[in-house]
Amino acid sequence: LAAHLHGQRCPPYVINLDPAVHDLPFPANIDIRDTVKYKEVMKQYGLGPNGGIVTSLNLFATRFDQVMKFIEKRQNASKYVLIDTPGQIEVFTWSASGTIITEALASSFPSVVVYVMDTSRSTNPITFMSNMLYACSILYKTKLPFVVVMNKTDIIDHSFAVEWMQDFETFQDALNQETSYVSNLTRSMSLVLDEFYSSLKVVGVSAVLGTGLDDFFVQLSKAVDEYEREYRPEYERLRKTLEKAQNKQKREQLEHLWKDMGSVCMQGNAFAGPDDASGMGPSELILTRGMLDEEEERESDTDDIDHEVTEESHEEPAFRNFMQETRMKYQRMEQPE
C-alpha cells in the first residue's frame, strides 16, 4: 500500500503501532519501537507477549496527543495516513489504549478501518465465518466506516468468499460438507450476519503483486464519503455534548469556589456595615475595585475596618489574624501609586 502510494506520487504518512514486530518492510514516519522497548516492558512488569504489547501500547497512548500534532502538520503534504496496528484483535480493538487512539483520530480526521484477512486460510466455511465475526466485532467496537480487504489473491481468488457473502444458499451448501457441532453454530450465525454482509465493502488484493489496490482506493473513497455523511455529524454532536458537560462542570466548580470564598469573607466581615465595600464578596470586590468614584471610596475607607477590628478584639486569635492580614492588604491597595 505504501509502495503503491509512492508510485502515485502521493507519499503517505506511515505510523507503526506494533511494538513486537522484528522487521518493518516499509519506512515509518513514527515508530512505536523508537519510544517503547517491548522486551524491556516484558521484563520490568513480568508480562507475557500479549501483556507486553498491551502495556507498550498503553504507554505510547499517553503521548498520542503529540502524534496528533505531527499528523496535523503533515495534512497538506500527505493525503493519506497509514496506521499499522498490532494484529491481535484483543490488543488494539478491545483495549483502552486502542479506543483512545481510534477516537482521537476519528474525532479530528476522516478515519476508515481496514480489516485485512487471509483469503488462503479462509477457504473453510467455518474459518471464514470466524473471520467475519471478528470483522463484525471490530465494526461494532469502532463505529467507523469499514472495508474488508481479502489479501493473497495471488494464491487463491477471493470470488468464492464474495459469493458466500452474497448467496446464502451457496454458503449453506459448503457447510453441508461439515458435520461437526461448530458447523451447526456457523449455519445459525450466517443468518445473523446476512444484514452485516449487505452493507460491507469488500475488495480482493495481493500485497505481493500489488493487484486490486485501485479497487481498494475506490472503496476507500466511498468509505470517506460515508464518514462525512454519517459519522462526522455524530462526532461533532458528541464533541459539543462533551464541551457542554465540561463547561457546566467548570461553572459549577467556579460557583462552589465563589461561594466558599464569599462565606470566608462574610465571616471575616460580619460586623461591617451595609455600605462597607469590605463586606462584598471577593468577585464583587475585584470587579468594582478601582472603579469607584471619590465619594464611594471615602465610604469604604480602611479607618472603618481599623475601628471595627479594635472593637471586636475579643474574638478568637485566628479570627484576629485573618482580619489583620485583610486590613494590611486593603492598606496596600489604598496607598496611592
Side-chain angles (χ1 to χ4, degrees):
L1 186 58
H4 177 82
L5 288 172
H6 277 286
Q8 299 290 326
R9 298 185 181 276
C10 183
Y13 194 74
V14 183
I15 300 174
N16 173 49
L17 292 183
D18 191 349
V21 64
H22 290 289
D23 298 310
L24 207 60
F26 50 84
N29 299 89
I30 297 177
D31 194 341
I32 188 176
R33 298 177 302 169
D34 297 333
T35 306
V36 184
K37 303 300 180 185
Y38 163 68
K39 291 187 177 179
E40 290 299 322
V41 171
M42 289 178 61
K43 290 179 182 178
Q44 183 174 347
Y45 295 98
L47 300 170
N50 276 12
I53 295 174
V54 171
T55 305
S56 298
L57 203 60
N58 289 343
L59 293 171
F60 188 77
T62 61
R63 297 288 183 269
F64 199 75
D65 58 322
Q66 299 176 22
V67 177
M68 293 290 291
K69 291 178 182 178
F70 285 123
I71 296 174
E72 289 172 0
K73 289 179 181 178
R74 290 296 301 268
Q75 281 188 96
N76 296 328
S78 300
K79 183 179 179 181
Y80 298 101
V81 178
L82 309 181
I83 301 177
D84 189 17
T85 65
Q88 297 90 330
I89 183 175
E90 69 279 4
V91 168
F92 186 82
T93 307
W94 294 99
S95 67
S97 54
T99 302
I100 291 170
I101 292 171
T102 303
E103 291 183 353
L105 291 166
S107 61
S108 302
F109 309 104
S111 303
V112 178
V113 177
V114 179
Y115 177 71
V116 184
M117 59 177 283
D118 194 328
T119 311
S120 61
R121 294 179 180 269
S122 300
T123 54
N124 183 292
I126 296 176
T127 308
F128 170 80
M129 178 57 64
S130 177
N131 255 315
M132 290 298 102
L133 289 174
Y134 271 135
C136 185
S137 67
I138 295 172
L139 174 63
Y140 167 78
K141 184 65 171 65
T142 58
K143 296 181 176 64
L144 285 171
F146 199 80
V147 178
V148 173
V149 174
M150 297 184 177
N151 192 23
K152 301 184 180 179
T153 54
D154 54 296
I155 298 176
I156 183 171
D157 190 73
H158 70 293
S159 58
F160 74 94
V162 175
E163 188 177 6
W164 283 352
M165 296 170 67
Q166 295 176 348
D167 190 342
F168 177 78
E169 296 296 334
T170 303
F171 184 70
Q172 294 300 312
D173 291 341
L175 274 176
N176 289 334
Q177 301 176 15
E178 303 285 338
T179 57
S180 63
Y181 165 76
V182 180
S183 65
N184 293 327
L185 177 63
T186 304
R187 186 175 289 105
S188 301
M189 293 301 298
S190 63
L191 291 171
V192 177
L193 292 181
D194 191 50
E195 184 67 25
F196 170 67
Y197 294 150
S198 63
S199 58
L200 195 63
K201 299 177 181 62
V202 181
V203 60
V205 303
S206 170
V208 174
L209 303 178
T211 55
L213 289 176
D214 290 331
D215 294 336
F216 167 74
F217 278 101
V218 171
Q219 296 296 332
L220 184 64
S221 178
K222 293 179 180 178
V224 171
D225 292 339
E226 182 183 348
Y227 172 89
E228 297 290 352
R229 183 177 63 255
E230 299 179 12
Y231 292 87
R232 185 183 287 278
E234 181 65 15
Y235 273 100
E236 291 291 339
R237 185 187 66 80
L238 291 175
R239 186 168 62 183
K240 289 180 180 178
T241 303
L242 180 61
E243 288 177 355
K244 282 185 179 179
Q246 290 175 341
N247 291 334
K248 182 180 179 182
Q249 185 179 11
K250 288 179 181 178
R251 285 198 304 270
E252 290 176 352
Q253 291 176 348
L254 194 58
E255 287 173 1
H256 286 310
L257 178 62
W258 285 349
K259 185 177 180 181
D260 294 341
M261 292 178 66
S263 62
V264 171
C265 185
M266 291 303 293
Q267 288 175 7
N269 299 280
F271 44 79
D275 297 331
D276 197 331
S278 62
M280 293 188 296
S283 60
E284 294 172 328
L285 186 63
I286 293 170
L287 290 172
T288 59
R289 197 70 184 178
M291 295 186 294
L292 300 174
D293 56 28
E294 292 181 1
E295 185 177 352
E296 289 176 325
E297 284 182 351
R298 293 193 196 98
E299 291 178 358
S300 61
D301 195 353
T302 53
D303 290 341
D304 296 336
I305 299 177
D306 295 339
H307 177 67
E308 297 290 348
V309 171
T310 304
E311 288 186 352
E312 299 293 332
S313 59
H314 63 276
E315 293 290 340
E316 293 290 334
F319 177 76
R320 292 201 304 272
N321 292 338
F322 171 80
M323 292 307 304
Q324 187 175 1
E325 292 175 0
T326 305
R327 185 180 69 253
M328 293 174 65
K329 290 179 181 178
Y330 282 2
Q331 287 174 343
R332 286 195 297 268
M333 293 171 65
E334 290 294 334
Q335 289 177 357
E337 295 182 357

